[in-house]
Amino acid sequence: MKYSSDVEAAEAMKVAYEKIRSEIGNVIIGQDEVVKRLLTAIFCQGHCLLVGVPGLAKTLLIQTIASSLDLAFNRIQFTPDLMPSDILGSETLDQNRNFKFIRGPVFANIILADEINRTPPKTQSALLEAMQEYSVTIAGAKHTLDRPFFVLATQNPIEQEGTYPLPEAQLDRFMFMIQLDYPSYAEEVNIVKSTTSDRRHLVQKVVSAEEIMDFQHLVRRVPVTDHVIEYAVKLVHKTRPLTGLAVKETNDYLEWGAGPRASQALILAAKCNALLSGKYSPDIEDVKAVALPVLRHRIIRNFKAEAEGISVDDIIGRLV
């Protein structure tokens, strides 16, 4: 590691974060919280699912982040006819009639899985091994992916016809589910001014793959007090109906609660949130700050909650 101490590395990470934010701000107007959560996931070696209506710059945001990082980037546009081999690659015969593996677009550092819910489960699951094991298996041979490796997927919540909801097992592999809202009036005025002119903003690469992996290791070395870990685990246990720590809202409105990956994600994200805020150890407020994107895709409402119009975010807000 090129830093003399973890404190120096933490300060370098904060500086790198501000530089990336500055570069992204040249292209993306607003969405500050979304950008922070995406970068948090990258520094925690996690995957992200972005959910928002068309036109909110989900794809542009991910492409801009990829441009600010010195990493290999591939975009995969998910469609109903996409096959697993279109993502992973396949074995073909070369001119000497020997089998040769042709690598698919998944062999990159950052994968933009655009509209991931438009392709059937067979193709969605092709990413599952890559997301969890950082490898793919083709014709019985295991191929290791380069590190760092992130899947940043987008999803449109409006259209349900001709879409395939992600299975719970795959949703659980995403560290965050980030919901994008419409921009404010002032932000949209600036967006229109920026995007209807002939001026183009070039994004500079400010962080290398080696630095990102250094920051990922740094996040894991951040010390956490027992009471913060206990708060995170208790929060996750509160989401599980009919268990010892379940509260009234849980038993009334939830069918299923979050698993142990949620507890792990809460602590990792809280560590990173603390570093990005200039602190060297997370507190309970850091856990609360990341609770929504960590938990919202890991709990399932029951019929009563849907009938009464109570959203997942409402339930998490009450539990926090």
Side-chain angles (χ1 to χ4, degrees):
M1 185 171 171
K2 63 182 180 180
Y3 304 107
S4 60
S5 68
D6 283 349
V7 170
E8 185 184 331
E11 290 169 356
M13 179 175 166
K14 180 97 167 44
V15 170
Y17 166 69
E18 296 297 342
K19 284 183 180 177
I20 297 170
R21 286 283 295 261
S22 175
E23 288 298 321
I24 293 169
N26 291 330
V27 178
I28 302 295
I29 295 168
Q31 305 291 10
D32 291 337
E33 187 65 20
V34 174
V35 171
K36 184 175 183 180
R37 292 295 154 245
L38 274 169
L39 293 175
T40 298
I42 287 173
F43 290 139
C44 291
Q45 201 174 337
H47 310 292
C48 265
L49 180 62
L50 272 75
V51 179
V53 298
L56 296 185
K58 298 185 295 296
T59 302
L60 178 61
L61 173 58
I62 294 172
Q63 288 176 328
T64 306
I65 288 177
S67 298
S68 69
L69 307 175
D70 194 11
L71 301 174
F73 168 74
N74 277 333
R75 173 183 176 177
I76 304 172
Q77 184 66 50
F78 281 77
T79 57
D81 60 346
L82 202 69
M83 298 296 287
S85 59
D86 296 328
I87 297 173
L88 306 179
S90 58
E91 292 212 322
T92 60
L93 285 170
D94 63 17
Q95 58 188 7
N96 299 318
R97 301 191 66 78
N98 295 317
F99 279 106
K100 179 184 178 182
F101 177 61
I102 305 297
R103 298 166 74 160
V106 77
F107 287 87
N109 298 118
I110 298 181
I111 302 299
L112 166 54
D114 218 355
E115 295 192 286
I116 194 171
N117 59 329
R118 286 208 173 276
T119 201
K122 176 172 67 174
T123 306
Q124 290 174 352
S125 64
L127 275 178
L128 199 53
E129 182 186 358
M131 292 171 67
Q132 186 64 28
E133 308 295 336
Y134 300 98
S135 64
V136 298
T137 304
I138 305 292
K142 189 173 183 177
H143 302 271
T144 303
L145 299 169
D146 293 334
R147 299 288 192 97
F149 176 78
F150 315 103
V151 173
L152 306 178
T154 69
Q155 194 168 287
N156 175 1
I158 297 177
E159 293 172 285
Q160 301 302 321
E161 206 171 307
T163 60
Y164 305 85
L166 284 169
E168 298 303 320
Q170 189 158 8
L171 275 175
D172 199 31
R173 263 67 176 191
F174 285 100
M175 183 177 190
F176 288 155
M177 176 188 274
I178 302 171
Q179 290 188 332
L180 277 77
D181 294 323
Y182 289 111
S184 67
Y185 173 78
E187 287 173 344
E188 193 160 345
V189 168
N190 289 331
I191 288 169
V192 172
K193 286 180 180 178
S194 172
T195 56
T196 55
S197 70
D198 196 31
R199 190 178 171 191
R200 292 188 64 191
H201 296 283
L202 295 177
V203 178
Q204 304 295 321
K205 296 186 184 298
V206 294
V207 180
S208 68
E210 183 187 0
E211 287 174 312
I212 290 172
M213 288 192 285
D214 282 345
F215 295 150
Q216 288 173 346
H217 291 302
L218 172 67
V219 167
R220 290 185 173 268
R221 290 197 300 274
V222 170
V224 190
T225 58
D226 285 347
H227 83 280
V228 173
I229 292 177
E230 287 164 8
Y231 176 82
V233 174
K234 187 175 181 181
L235 178 58
V236 172
H237 272 256
K238 279 184 181 180
T239 68
R240 299 170 187 169
L242 306 177
T243 58
L245 292 175
V247 295
K248 186 176 185 300
E249 287 86 350
T250 304
N251 294 328
D252 286 350
Y253 298 124
L254 293 183
E255 191 80 30
W256 293 99
R261 278 198 191 96
S263 301
Q264 295 167 335
L266 278 174
I267 292 301
L268 269 178
K271 286 181 176 187
C272 186
N273 195 74
L275 289 177
L276 299 184
S277 303
K279 298 182 289 185
Y280 300 125
S281 182
D283 53 28
I284 286 175
E285 291 306 312
D286 291 304
V287 177
K288 290 179 178 180
V290 298
L292 270 178
V294 167
L295 293 175
R296 62 163 54 109
H297 57 300
R298 291 183 164 101
I299 62 178
I300 301 175
R301 293 178 301 162
N302 59 19
F303 178 77
K304 182 180 179 182
E306 293 186 26
E308 294 183 14
I310 296 174
S311 69
V312 166
D313 285 11
D314 292 334
I315 297 168
I316 296 171
R318 295 182 191 185
L319 298 180
V320 169

